[in-house]
Amino acid sequence: MSSPSGRVNPALIGMLEQIKKATEELPKASQRMMKLTGVGWSPDKLVKVVVGPRGQLADIDIDPRVFRKPDAAALQAAILAASREAVTDVNQQREEIMAGQFPADMGSLQHEMRSNESDTIGKLMNRLDADIYAEGKEDR
């Protein structure tokens, strides 16, 4: 931490100050994240899904035109597609808030770790519950 002359490295002091500021701002960031919503649309724009900050379904809007030609499988696919888009939306918003909380060096390191294809945890975190459920359903 300190140099051979006994002086503290200025870069380290700056980084510690940034981390202290980020820590002080975490409650505000947490409040902002709890107010997030994600919105997703089905490819045909007939189904709109809104999810809350944790990706849980908050609202769903189904255009009545869907019922002109009833197709349960198509409606299911549309809802799931809109849900995936909504969850991706809210996750991106959350990441943007968190990226602004930490020093730039830490953000670039975090981005590098997440973009690493061999990062098993990163792969798991980016998978949606609907996809995991569908895979399990196929195995049954």
Side-chain angles (χ1 to χ4, degrees), residues 5-124:
S5 64
R7 299 179 70 200
V8 177
N9 184 332
L12 181 60
I13 290 173
M15 185 177 282
L16 289 173
E17 288 173 357
Q18 288 177 333
I19 291 172
K20 180 182 177 192
K21 181 182 175 208
T23 303
E24 291 169 353
E25 296 292 321
L26 279 176
K28 289 179 188 174
S30 179
Q31 289 174 349
R32 285 178 44 211
M33 285 191 292
M34 289 308 295
K35 294 177 182 176
L36 292 177
T37 58
V39 178
W41 290 88
S42 62
D44 60 9
K45 303 296 185 210
L46 296 177
V47 176
K48 174 185 169 189
V49 169
V50 178
V51 298
R54 295 179 302 245
Q56 297 174 342
L57 184 64
D59 193 19
I60 186 167
D61 184 26
I62 301 173
D63 189 301
R65 292 178 289 171
V66 165
F67 302 109
R68 289 182 186 158
K69 294 181 183 176
D71 182 347
L75 180 57
Q76 176 189 27
I79 292 170
L80 289 175
S83 296
R84 286 183 188 99
E85 187 177 312
V87 169
T88 298
D89 180 35
V90 80
N91 284 342
Q92 288 173 343
Q93 292 177 58
R94 186 180 316 107
E95 285 184 20
E96 288 171 10
I97 290 172
M98 290 308 296
Q101 287 302 116
F102 296 100
D105 293 343
M106 293 179 82
S108 62
L109 178 61
Q110 182 182 25
H111 177 72
E112 183 179 320
M113 288 176 64
R114 283 193 177 159
S115 63
N116 183 354
E117 290 294 326
S118 64
D119 179 17
T120 305
I121 293 173
K123 284 181 185 177
L124 290 174

